[in-house]
Amino acid sequence: MPQVLFENVKLNNTISLNNRILMAPLTRCMADDDLVPTDDMVKYYAKRAKAGLIISEATIIRPDGQGYPNTPGLFTHAQIAGWKKVTDAVHAEGGKMFAQLWHVGRVAHPYFFDGEVLAPSAIGVEGTVPRMRELTYQTPKAVTQEEITQLVADYAQAAVNAIEAGFDGVEIHGANGYLIDQFLHYAANQRTDEYGQTPENMSRFALEVTDAVADRIGADRVGLRVSPGAYFNMDGDQRDRAVFDVLISALNSRNLAYLHVGIFDDAMEFEYLGGSASAYLRSIYKGTLVGVGSYTAESGAEAIQNQKFDLLAIGRPFIANPDYVEKVKAGQAVKEYDESMLATLD
Ligand code: FNR
Ligand code: 8K6
């Protein structure tokens, strides 16, 4: 049994976790048509409450943040009430839960809302919406500074809504090629104003969102997920490194609950980062780092022991094994994940 995983950890004066295993955020596309969490989602999360911390599936902060069918929201009373049932059930099982706050930026599709697709620059992504192959991605509109101010305010309001919904905190989704990440990479950001062109400018939006959210709910309750290595909905550029150098150094003084790497396989190396995304973050970030990406309990525990990161997030194996934590603790074999498992919410 990888003992290090089962230690209690104090993230700060506000939040302590029963163990070092986090349930990674996992989009399931199973909210109802008003993007309200369902009773099946209540059961799904409650069954996984033995995780030290559950991070919810990515949850949109406002209608134009949507790029996939039936992803939940946190901007209506019904959505807040739906999430309250989820967090109550998780708390009743002794668990803790953060909401992952999401705006997909240029990966949005107006099929899901009335309005324009917004992004840092008018540079589209190739391809079509998963599961809805007839919907081709559009060229987005470059956001104005006024729209940026509104987006920052909307992230902060969604964080307040998350606390009202009973979440213990929020994880700002700054990873995987979505809106915040689009500001951080040259491939998606060609702005010429104070949000583009230099590392300081390109990291501004991410820091403004982080600060606005922390101002409203307290930095102790805020995590941030970032993908310094571009791998999904985004092309990497060696100049991106300098942007993340500035961003991650600036985060050191923010006293967040944690920083979480966004990646599918942490064995992936990025030339411009000089290695894996997690090793790069560890080299700059002084606070609690969450590792993820194709780890088993054993390989994750070893990485923690070798101080590669402090907490381990587990994604796909948690879909396959609602009782992942109990199984690992008992030394039992875990069931293999299979994509067909995405069809149902067990
Ligand atoms: C994901 N991942 C993901 N990441 C994120 O930040 N927000 C999300 O909503 C989702 N949704 C999602 C859905 C599905 C079906 C998969 C497989 C993945 C990425 C996830 O959090 C994690 O980083 C990866 O799955 C890698 O970890 P594992 O699965 O190898 O433990
Ligand atoms: C975050 C919302 C996504 C909707 C759910 C689908 C996720 C399924 C997994 C997609 C896999 C993409 C992985 C790309 C990684 C390439 C690494 C070389």
Side-chain angles (χ1 to χ4, degrees), residues 77-91:
H77 292 298
Q79 290 161 0
I80 294 169
W83 277 121
K84 185 74 171 54
K85 290 190 204 165
V86 174
T87 60
D88 280 348
V90 167
H91 290 151

Side-chain angles (χ1 to χ4, degrees), residues 104-158:
V104 303
R106 65 180 182 167
V107 194
H109 200 288
Y111 172 85
F112 301 114
F113 54 89
D114 290 326
E116 293 168 299
V117 174
L118 299 179
S121 298
I123 307 168
V125 269
E126 299 265 307
T128 55
V129 176
R131 301 175 199 206
M132 304 186 80
R133 297 285 164 197
E134 71 280 14
L135 299 179
T136 305
Y137 289 124
Q138 305 194 345
T139 303
K141 186 192 96 127
V143 276
T144 62
Q145 294 210 10
E146 249 181 359
E147 286 165 336
I148 289 179
T149 304
Q150 188 60 51
L151 279 162
V152 171
D154 290 339
Y155 274 100
Q157 184 59 49

Side-chain angles (χ1 to χ4, degrees), residues 10 25 27 69 153 214 226 233 283 312 317-318 330:
K10 199 165 149 44
T27 291
V226 291
N233 290 321
S283 72
L312 172 67
F318 248 122

Side-chain angles (χ1 to χ4, degrees), residues 12-30:
N12 46 49
N13 288 332
T14 312
I15 296 172
S16 301
L17 309 180
N18 288 331
N19 59 63
R20 291 181 188 271
I21 302 175
L22 275 51
M23 178 177 167
L26 293 160
T27 291
R28 301 303 312 268
C29 300
M30 301 258 186

Side-chain angles (χ1 to χ4, degrees), residues 23-28 56-59 100 102 131 171 173 175-176 178 225 231 260-265 292-295 313-319 337 342:
M23 178 177 167
L26 293 160
T27 291
R28 301 303 312 268
S56 80
E57 62 203 277
T59 298
Q100 193 188 43
W102 198 27
R131 301 175 199 206
E171 175 175 292
H173 195 343
N176 298 351
Y178 299 117
R225 191 170 215 199
Y231 75 103
H260 186 181
V261 59
I263 193 80
F264 271 70
D265 183 354
V292 73
S294 305
Y295 283 99
I314 292 288
R316 288 161 289 190
F318 248 122
I319 293 177
Y337 166 83
L342 294 179

Side-chain angles (χ1 to χ4, degrees), residues 115-299:
E116 293 168 299
V117 174
L118 299 179
S121 298
I123 307 168
V125 269
E126 299 265 307
T128 55
V129 176
R131 301 175 199 206
M132 304 186 80
R133 297 285 164 197
E134 71 280 14
L135 299 179
T136 305
Y137 289 124
Q138 305 194 345
T139 303
K141 186 192 96 127
V143 276
T144 62
Q145 294 210 10
E146 249 181 359
E147 286 165 336
I148 289 179
T149 304
Q150 188 60 51
L151 279 162
V152 171
D154 290 339
Y155 274 100
Q157 184 59 49
V160 171
N161 295 349
I163 299 302
E164 189 185 333
F167 285 102
D168 299 282
V170 303
E171 175 175 292
I172 299 166
H173 195 343
N176 298 351
Y178 299 117
L179 181 64
I180 293 173
D181 201 30
Q182 289 159 25
F183 277 88
L184 295 169
H185 292 271
Y186 283 86
N189 183 348
Q190 293 178 3
R191 297 181 72 89
T192 53
D193 65 359
E194 64 193 43
Y195 291 91
Q197 278 181 319
T198 67
E200 286 72 19
N201 285 347
M202 289 171 70
S203 51
R204 191 180 310 282
F205 182 65
L207 288 170
E208 284 183 352
V209 170
T210 303
D211 290 342
V213 167
D215 274 355
R216 296 292 292 278
I217 68 168
D220 278 4
R221 296 193 184 279
V222 181
L224 173 64
R225 191 170 215 199
V226 291
S227 293
Y231 75 103
F232 187 55
N233 290 321
M234 185 74 76
D235 292 322
D237 182 310
Q238 57 181 15
R239 295 171 297 168
D240 294 348
R241 160 82 182 245
V243 179
F244 282 88
D245 285 352
V246 167
L247 173 68
I248 307 305
S249 308
L251 290 174
N252 276 327
S253 61
R254 261 54 179 196
N255 294 317
L256 300 182
Y258 63 80
L259 182 67
H260 186 181
V261 59
I263 193 80
F264 271 70
D265 183 354
D266 199 29
M268 224 176 142
E269 304 217 327
F270 299 88
E271 209 183 311
Y272 64 88
L273 299 178
S276 69
S278 65
Y280 163 74
L281 292 177
R282 175 106 286 183
S283 72
I284 304 178
Y285 192 62
K286 309 274 182 268
T288 301
L289 182 64
V290 183
V292 73
S294 305
Y295 283 99
T296 61
E298 289 72 22
S299 65

Side-chain angles (χ1 to χ4, degrees), residues 29-90:
C29 300
M30 301 258 186
D32 76 14
D33 288 342
D34 295 319
L35 313 187
V36 173
T38 62
D39 291 343
D40 282 346
M41 286 166 66
V42 174
K43 289 184 206 139
Y44 164 84
Y45 282 113
K47 278 193 248 178
R48 291 162 172 84
K50 291 287 176 282
L53 178 67
I54 296 175
I55 303 157
S56 80
E57 62 203 277
T59 298
I60 59 173
I61 61 161
R62 59 186 222 179
D64 66 3
Q66 190 177 354
Y68 306 87
N70 299 92
T71 51
L74 253 174
F75 55 88
T76 69
H77 292 298
Q79 290 161 0
I80 294 169
W83 277 121
K84 185 74 171 54
K85 290 190 204 165
V86 174
T87 60
D88 280 348
V90 167

